[in-house]
Amino acid sequence: MKLKGSEIICESLLREGVDVIFGHPGGAILPFYDALWSYPQLRHILVRHEQAAAHAADGYSRVTGKVGVCVATSGPGATNLVTGIMGAKADSVPLVAITGQVARTALGTEAFQECDICSIAASCTKAAFMVMNSADLANTIREAFYVSQEGRPGPVLIDVPRDVQLELTEAEFPEVTAVPVPEVTTEVLERLKEAARLINEAERPVIISGHGILTSGANRELMSLAEGSGIPVITTLLGLGGFPGGHPLSMGMLGMHGMYWCNIAVDQADLIIGVGMRFDDRVTGKVDTFAPHARIIHMDIEATQIGRNVPVEVPLVGDAKALLQKLAPMVVNTPRPDWMQYIENLKRDHPSLLIPPSDSLQPQQVISTLNTVLQEDPETTIVTGVGQHQMWAAQFLSFNESNTFVSSGGLGAMGFELPAALGVQVGKPGAPVWSIAGDGGFQMTLQELITISEEKLPVKIALINNGSLGMVRQWQDMYFQGHQKAVSVPGPNFVKLAEAYGVAAVRVTEYEDVLPAMRQAQAHDGPFLIEFVVDSTTNVYPMVPPGGSLADTLEDPSVAVGTGI
Ligand SMILES: Cc1ncc(C[n+]2csc(CCOP(=O)(O)OP(=O)(O)O)c2C)c(N)n1
């Protein structure tokens, strides 16, 4: 049967199991939008800025495990997607972005809204294809979905000239096959035995688990390794939820704003088992002095990650779940009372979850109160922006399930909080979704209030309004002699603004009103924004100073008088 290129795109998307697309139309993608009339099974969510389409597809993908799909027109539509695409690359999220392009005859003429998006996307995708013939569309789309999910997941872009979308061709569709999990080879099995030997002999071991646990669905296997060996588990920012925060072996997050006891335990460890994580600079601090006493076992799906930042004794390339399944039965539960006591003492003597005493509402008070709400329903998903509020969320909230903490980690893109929450809510229609937003980041993508309102998505927004670009203000105060420049961001009247978009809203300035407002938001049938007006001077601690080692982790100077929780 002959189909237009645009119809082949829709057919292919359906075959890939796609049922929702986040997008924004424009001239070069109009034939595709016209074809959508014939494919009502493909729900289209019209965002108000293409960056939001990519972030929403990212959030949707993280909580559903499916490939997220976003669509934009050529030129500015395509370039607006780039931040969200790069975010998905940094955080290993499978995404397919489809962009319209000027007609083949106009390519290279600086035509209206022409932009070489494939070249731009080359460095921020796993692959970028321009389809020059409608007969190639079905295979290219198949390849894009495959590549996005294979190995380390990530984004793929498909650029389709307008006339290719209109061209009729005999349609043939390749079979859709699942991406096979790579086998554990005999060579890797031998290395796993070596890893088990090191684990069983270690006196001061820690596991550092990352996002790879979530992407490979290896939570149970990680639990078997931890419980089977008695080794405590530290997570990266994106690894939160991969191991239950409430488990006795859970230590929380390490790194630049990690728990003091995690950073020092890593510094003192004699063995580190890194699983599905990259040893990136926010985790290691100064790399030369990272874990000076430790041997390192590193499991990752991407061979190039291993040995890139830190020297690795046992490299294990493969799927975390498959590797852990083999490793867990080889380890023995070795009591290490001295090491466990050392960690307990660190926790006792250096409590990291502190709220400085103050007359004004503290951001940590707001976020720790949200933990009450979070613990009531394990399906609750928290989506954050980037900055201080993101770090407090990672520190003060306890995540027990995978993908209940959604955050822009590797790219750290402010403005992620609202559109990603939109995508999460589309992916989990019945689950509570809370966006913890910074007043700076929120002002970057707040136009999506109208999308959540129009789509009746009951996202709850906890806007942490400290009147500033808090994290940058903290760095200026600490490392630029307090020269605060361009960090004050007075916003509009956020309550009125939300209401103008059809989103119910309240403002909270006192601690006693925090939980009642959250209850009001929960009870409200629809989106709800709470503006929390908080202290603008609070800093995030612990903190590894820029360029410093984990051993240099700074604690809150107000620790002596702070309120530990
Ligand atoms: C798009 C983008 N621009 C700039 C930055 C640099 N940056 C990191 S945190 C931050 C401040 C964020 O302010 P806000 O959203 O209000 O959150 P807060 O730190 O106050 O909690 C900035 C500007 C960034 N991460 N992303």
Side-chain angles (χ1 to χ4, degrees):
M1 190 180 46
K2 285 206 164 184
L3 292 178
K4 283 189 207 157
S6 54
E7 293 166 330
I8 295 175
I9 300 174
C10 293
E11 282 288 340
S12 299
L13 292 178
L14 284 180
R15 282 161 201 261
E16 297 290 344
V18 174
D19 49 17
V20 60
I21 301 165
F22 302 91
H24 197 292
I29 193 76
L30 275 187
F32 170 75
Y33 273 82
D34 192 42
L36 283 179
W37 274 108
S38 312
Y39 293 88
Q41 314 93 302
L42 292 171
R43 175 181 178 194
H44 179 270
I45 295 190
L46 174 67
V47 292
R48 301 309 196 261
H49 186 295
E50 292 85 352
Q51 178 186 349
H55 287 326
D58 174 326
Y60 173 86
S61 172
R62 291 195 210 204
V63 295
T64 59
K66 294 169 75 170
V67 178
V69 179
C70 54
V71 177
T73 191
S74 65
T79 53
N80 275 352
L81 285 178
V82 170
T83 299
I85 293 176
M86 182 62 216
K89 171 106 180 321
D91 289 350
S92 318
V93 180
L95 208 80
V96 168
I98 300 174
T99 49
Q101 181 54 280
V102 299
R104 284 170 290 190
T105 45
L107 282 171
T109 67
E110 291 192 29
F112 177 63
Q113 293 189 334
E114 181 183 3
C115 145
D116 182 1
I117 190 65
C118 283
S119 294
I120 292 175
S123 66
C124 62
T125 54
K126 289 181 79 180
F129 303 107
M130 184 189 275
V131 186
M132 291 297 283
N133 189 327
S134 60
D136 297 334
L137 266 170
N139 282 331
T140 308
I141 294 172
R142 175 78 280 265
E143 189 174 346
F145 275 80
Y146 187 90
V147 171
S148 74
Q149 298 169 86
E150 182 265 335
R152 178 182 177 186
V156 177
L157 182 131
I158 310 172
D159 196 29
V160 192
R162 193 179 194 280
D163 56 330
V164 173
Q165 297 170 46
L166 291 166
E167 188 175 66
L168 271 174
T169 194
E170 199 61 49
E172 273 184 55
F173 295 93
E175 194 191 340
V176 174
T177 49
V179 177
V181 177
E183 295 269 315
V184 178
T185 61
T186 35
E187 190 195 333
V188 172
L189 207 52
E190 284 309 310
R191 293 218 192 121
L192 281 166
K193 286 183 192 154
E194 170 64 3
R197 192 181 63 76
L198 294 183
I199 291 171
N200 294 337
E201 285 172 4
E203 289 174 6
R204 300 187 310 279
V206 289
I207 296 170
I208 306 180
S209 72
H211 197 206
I213 295 294
L214 281 61
T215 48
S216 101
N219 306 46
R220 284 223 323 261
E221 290 72 14
L222 175 64
M223 178 77 79
S224 304
L225 176 69
E227 288 184 342
S229 61
I231 299 179
V233 180
I234 292 173
T235 73
T236 66
L237 176 74
L238 291 190
L240 288 168
F243 191 76
H247 192 283
L249 287 170
S250 169
M251 289 180 63
M253 180 179 78
L254 86 163
M256 179 168 266
H257 292 294
M259 299 296 96
Y260 184 87
W261 54 83
C262 290
N263 290 357
I264 301 303
V266 168
D267 182 69
Q268 291 299 311
D270 67 351
L271 181 72
I272 289 172
I273 306 145
V275 194
M277 47 81 69
R278 303 186 277 121
F279 291 101
D280 89 322
D281 55 296
R282 292 281 148 135
V283 158
T284 59
K286 189 176 177 206
V287 79
D288 313 339
T289 47
F290 174 71
H293 317 286
R295 295 167 140 182
I296 297 180
I297 299 168
H298 189 188
M299 301 182 206
D300 202 276
I301 191 86
E302 197 172 46
T304 51
Q305 293 298 342
I306 296 185
R308 183 157 85 171
N309 298 338
V310 295
V312 169
E313 180 123 352
V314 186
L316 293 160
V317 179
D319 174 66
K321 186 177 180 134
L323 292 174
L324 290 174
Q325 262 167 1
K326 300 271 187 225
L327 180 62
M330 298 183 200
V331 299
V332 285
N333 198 322
T334 317
R336 299 176 183 91
D338 292 351
W339 180 230
M340 299 312 275
Q341 192 55 52
Y342 176 77
I343 292 171
E344 279 315 307
N345 293 349
L346 280 176
K347 287 186 183 174
R348 187 197 57 211
D349 299 341
H350 303 272
S352 293
L353 298 175
L354 294 160
I355 301 180
S358 163
D359 291 337
S360 6
L361 183 59
Q362 289 301 312
Q364 301 98 317
Q365 289 180 308
V366 174
I367 291 171
S368 58
T369 304
L370 194 56
N371 217 11
T372 314
V373 172
L374 177 63
Q375 298 313 319
E376 284 166 2
D377 185 342
E379 283 285 291
T380 306
T381 304
I382 302 288
V383 186
T384 76
V386 173
Q388 292 184 313
H389 64 284
Q390 175 191 35
M391 293 300 122
W392 285 315
Q395 294 177 339
F396 281 80
L397 301 177
S398 179
F399 299 95
N400 289 314
E401 307 282 335
S402 266
N403 301 312
T404 50
F405 176 71
V406 173
S407 196
S408 176
L411 188 64
M414 286 169 71
F416 182 80
E417 52 263 74
L418 187 59
L422 183 167
V424 167
Q425 188 75 78
V426 170
K428 289 175 96 177
V433 177
W434 281 83
S435 167
I436 303 183
D439 53 321
F442 184 68
Q443 290 187 68
M444 287 190 171
T445 50
L446 61 76
Q447 76 284 343
E448 299 311 321
L449 284 173
I450 194 66
T451 314
I452 60 171
S453 167
E454 181 194 14
E455 295 285 337
K456 300 192 172 42
L457 298 167
V459 174
K460 315 300 176 195
I461 303 157
L463 176 63
I464 310 296
N465 185 0
N466 56 10
S468 73
L469 303 172
M471 188 58 95
V472 179
R473 193 269 310 144
Q474 175 169 347
W475 281 53
Q476 289 180 345
D477 279 352
M478 292 177 73
Y479 303 108
F480 292 87
Q481 299 80 44
H483 294 161
Q484 294 185 6
K485 182 72 185 168
V487 286
S488 169
V489 279
N493 180 326
F494 286 110
V495 171
K496 281 190 178 165
L497 178 105
E499 286 168 356
Y501 279 112
V503 174
V506 294
R507 178 177 299 119
V508 170
T509 54
E510 304 295 329
Y511 179 54
E512 69 217 34
D513 298 328
V514 172
L515 188 58
M518 289 176 181
R519 295 284 183 229
Q520 189 185 349
Q522 281 178 301
H524 183 78
D525 182 20
F528 199 97
L529 180 144
I530 313 171
E531 178 194 2
F532 294 101
V533 180
V534 299
D535 194 334
S536 62
T537 61
T538 313
N539 288 344
V540 184
Y541 289 101
M543 178 173 187
V544 178
S549 310
L550 292 184
D552 304 329
T553 303
L554 302 173
E555 294 179 87
D556 192 334
S558 61
V559 69
V561 283
T563 321
I565 60 159

